[in-house]
């Protein structure tokens, strides 16, 4: 019933956008908005990001396009996960964690930093891979184990990389100390670059997180520790798993800030403020983004046992980050409904075209099991999983 309604709404959107023949054009038009008083909560900070934010038409359309691309790419991956090829094999195998509902987090953060800054995250990483520079084709190809994948088809859903994007990490919380290490390298080499080290509320109680906090504070590393609090760690609510759910205060001696993660402008403003703070040599910060995932933890989780359908429906109706940005656009007179529909249609068409290309790409041959084992590995024989299988590295 819900899927059918979604498809009908999507079809109506495409028809309306196609019929409008509208084209969005660049202008220098902008609007200023005042964020609600409760947008930010502070810990050991005397000042906060501004509650007055300016949004230009160009930025609006760019944010809106990227958020729709991520949403459509994730829904496309979800569809592919449930389908099989002509040989009855699944197009996407293994784990698949979707970012639907959390798009404002990644888009807001990416637009507040530079391409030379570093990002490392957990396994809900497809949107970040796209924003950091990988094509939709290479991401979908990676999910399907194709040789054109951004990790050459060998990483899959949880291990994607591109320039200054360090994954995609499958071990819960393990990326947090790696992020501190990246920040250490950035400072050691005398740059003014910063590192965003993301993790979920489910990883927030890991000991390695607090060890990373300690080292980052001692050495004043330019590391922004970001807890994407989507309310559930797998199927366990934060209230049942954490004695303190104020994740932005968890750094104790490290200042922190809590931000509405569904509002791309709030995320952008807060991240820019944090980046400026760290570039000034003041050390690390902890930022909590209060967000929500619309699907289950992964494709193996229907997301219905530990939360009600009404809760999810209300989140989709009231907290959808794409609808929130759309409201900014209309209230600020930055774009019309027809223009926004046209942007959404273009995003959908782009993802569809990239999917078709990825599906035609070649699946990795078995010989690829023996490559990328060592750097400059040369010509050597590697044994397979039994005494009778071996292959030369190439």
């Amino acid at each position: 019933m819900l899927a059918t309604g979604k498809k009908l709404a999507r079809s109506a959107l495409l028809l309306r956008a196609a019929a409008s023949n509208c084209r969005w054009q660049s202008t220098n038009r902008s609007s200023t908005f005042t964020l609600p008083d409760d947008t930010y909560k502070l810990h050991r900070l005397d000042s906060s990001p501004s509650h007055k934010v300016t949004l230009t038409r160009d930025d609006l359309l760019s944010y809106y396009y990227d958020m729709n691309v991520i949403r459509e790419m994730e829904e496309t991956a979800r569809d592919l996960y449930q389908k099989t090829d002509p040989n009855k094999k699944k197009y996407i195998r293994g784990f698949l964690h979707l970012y639907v509902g959390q798009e404002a987090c990644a888009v807001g953060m990416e637009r507040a930093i530079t391409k030379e800054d570093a990002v490392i995250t957990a396994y809900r990483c497809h949107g970040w891979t796209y924003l950091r520079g990988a094509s939709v084709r290479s991401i979908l190809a990676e999910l399907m184990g194709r040789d054109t994948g951004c990790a050459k088809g060998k990483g899959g859903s949880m291990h994607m990389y591109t320039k200054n994007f360090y994954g995609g990490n499958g071990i819960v919380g393990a990326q947090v100390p790696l992020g501190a290490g990246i920040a250490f390298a950035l400072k050691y080499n005398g740059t003014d670059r910063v590192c965003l080290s993301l993790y979920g509320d489910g990883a927030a109680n890991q000991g390695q997180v607090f060890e990373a906090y300690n080292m980052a504070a001692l050495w004043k590393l330019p590391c922004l520790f970001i807890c994407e609090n989507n309310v559930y760690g797998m199927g366990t609510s934060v209230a049942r798993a954490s004695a303190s759910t104020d994740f932005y205060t968890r750094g104790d001696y490290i200042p922190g800030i809590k931000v509405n993660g569904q509002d791309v402008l709030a995320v952008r403003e807060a991240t820019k403020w944090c980046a400026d703070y760290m570039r000034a040599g003041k050390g690390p910060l902890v930022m909590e983004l209060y967000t929500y995932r619309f699907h289950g933890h992964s494709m193996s989780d229907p997301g219905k046992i530990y939360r009600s359908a009404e809760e999810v429906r209300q989140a989709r109706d009231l907290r959808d980050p794409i609808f929130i940005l759309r409201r900014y656009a209309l209230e600020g007179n930055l774009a019309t409904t027809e223009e926004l529909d046209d942007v959404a249609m273009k995003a959908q068409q782009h993802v569809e075209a990239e999917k078709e290309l990825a599906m035609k790409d070649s699946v990795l041959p078995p010989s690829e099991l023996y490559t990328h084992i060592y750097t400059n590995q040369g010509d050597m024989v590697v044994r397979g999983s039994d005494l009778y299988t071996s292959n030369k590295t190439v």
Side-chain angles (χ1 to χ4, degrees):
M1 185 81 176
L2 288 174
T4 302
K6 178 188 167 190
K7 288 177 181 177
L8 288 173
R10 187 174 174 188
S11 298
L13 171 64
L14 290 170
L15 287 171
R16 186 165 70 249
S20 71
N21 290 319
C22 63
R23 294 293 179 267
W24 36 283
Q25 298 177 344
S26 175
T27 73
N28 58 3
R29 195 159 80 237
S30 66
S31 289
T32 299
F33 303 92
T34 301
L35 301 176
D37 291 341
D38 61 355
T39 298
Y40 311 121
K41 290 185 178 180
L42 306 178
H43 170 66
R44 290 183 178 268
L45 288 170
D46 297 325
S47 62
S48 76
S50 175
H51 283 74
K52 287 190 178 298
V53 296
T54 298
L55 178 64
T56 68
R57 174 179 162 84
D58 287 355
D59 283 346
L60 159 74
L61 296 175
S62 179
Y63 301 171
Y64 197 72
Y65 178 80
D66 281 344
M67 290 168 72
N68 274 278
V69 166
I70 295 171
R71 175 74 57 91
E72 188 67 18
M73 180 174 67
E74 295 289 63
E75 294 293 3
T76 296
R78 183 171 180 265
D79 290 342
L80 287 171
Y81 190 91
Q82 300 175 89
K83 292 180 179 178
T84 57
D85 64 18
N87 296 318
K88 304 297 183 183
K89 294 181 178 179
K90 294 181 69 172
Y91 282 111
I92 297 176
R93 308 172 203 180
F95 294 103
L96 185 67
H97 305 84
L98 303 178
Y99 207 59
V100 177
Q102 298 182 216
E103 296 89 351
C105 296
V107 172
M109 284 185 276
E110 177 63 32
R111 295 314 178 95
I113 60 175
T114 74
K115 289 298 183 184
E116 296 306 308
D117 291 321
V119 176
I120 187 168
T121 188
Y123 38 71
R124 214 174 294 278
C125 62
H126 314 148
W128 265 114
T129 310
Y130 162 72
L131 292 172
R132 292 265 86 190
S135 68
V136 173
R137 176 186 182 179
S138 71
I139 294 167
L140 294 177
E142 185 62 37
L143 292 174
M144 293 187 282
R146 310 297 166 112
D147 58 8
T148 53
C150 57
K152 300 190 182 301
K154 296 184 174 185
S157 173
M158 296 191 283
H159 303 95
M160 295 183 175
Y161 312 92
T162 190
K163 184 179 179 182
N164 293 323
F165 178 60
Y166 295 84
N169 293 268
I171 304 301
V172 175
Q175 73 280 3
V176 180
L178 294 182
I182 295 166
F184 178 86
L186 297 177
K187 181 174 181 177
Y188 183 82
N189 287 315
T191 75
D192 69 344
R193 295 157 60 192
V194 302
C195 179
L196 310 189
S197 185
L198 292 90
Y199 56 99
D201 52 271
N205 298 318
Q206 293 253 332
Q208 58 190 328
V209 173
F210 296 92
E211 292 182 56
Y213 285 171
N214 183 60
M215 288 185 285
L218 280 172
W219 299 328
K220 289 194 172 182
L221 300 182
C223 189
L224 179 56
F225 296 103
I226 302 156
C227 177
E228 289 185 293
N229 176 12
N230 62 19
V231 190
Y232 296 97
M234 297 186 71
T236 304
S237 69
V238 294
R240 293 181 58 210
S242 299
S244 169
T245 58
D246 291 328
F247 297 106
Y248 68 106
T249 69
R250 292 286 200 91
D252 187 14
Y253 39 80
I254 298 177
I257 181 171
K258 183 176 182 178
V259 184
N260 176 9
Q262 300 307 88
D263 186 332
V264 68
L265 299 187
V267 176
R268 183 197 67 182
E269 206 69 17
T271 306
K272 175 66 166 59
W273 189 92
C274 291
D276 290 342
Y277 178 100
M278 294 185 293
R279 293 191 211 279
K282 297 180 180 179
L285 291 164
V286 176
M287 182 165 73
E288 175 186 348
L289 296 180
Y290 184 62
T291 183
Y292 196 85
R293 56 171 165 79
F294 292 164
H295 292 306
H297 171 73
S298 69
M299 284 300 294
S300 61
D301 168 27
K304 297 179 180 179
I305 298 174
Y306 51 86
R307 58 184 186 178
S308 67
E310 177 63 17
E311 177 184 314
V312 178
R313 185 191 67 76
Q314 284 192 3
R316 284 184 175 273
D317 289 347
L318 303 176
R319 298 183 62 205
D320 188 321
I322 294 179
F323 290 166
I324 291 172
L325 180 57
R326 188 181 180 94
R327 192 160 63 241
Y328 277 125
L330 298 175
E331 291 178 358
N333 195 30
L334 294 173
T336 65
T337 298
E338 290 75 16
E339 287 174 317
L340 294 172
D341 288 349
D342 190 51
V343 174
M345 181 188 69
K346 283 179 168 59
Q348 291 172 3
Q349 290 174 337
H350 176 64
V351 172
E352 181 63 25
E354 294 282 276
K355 180 196 80 171
E356 293 301 319
L357 291 172
M359 292 181 73
K360 293 175 183 176
D361 292 333
S362 300
V363 176
L364 288 179
S367 61
E368 281 295 315
L369 287 168
Y370 302 91
T371 64
H372 302 113
I373 298 174
Y374 299 105
T375 301
N376 300 321
Q377 58 193 6
D379 187 7
M380 59 186 290
V381 175
V382 178
R383 201 183 79 182
S385 59
D386 56 55
L387 294 174
Y388 310 102
T389 305
S390 63
N391 207 327
K392 280 190 174 183
T393 62
V394 290

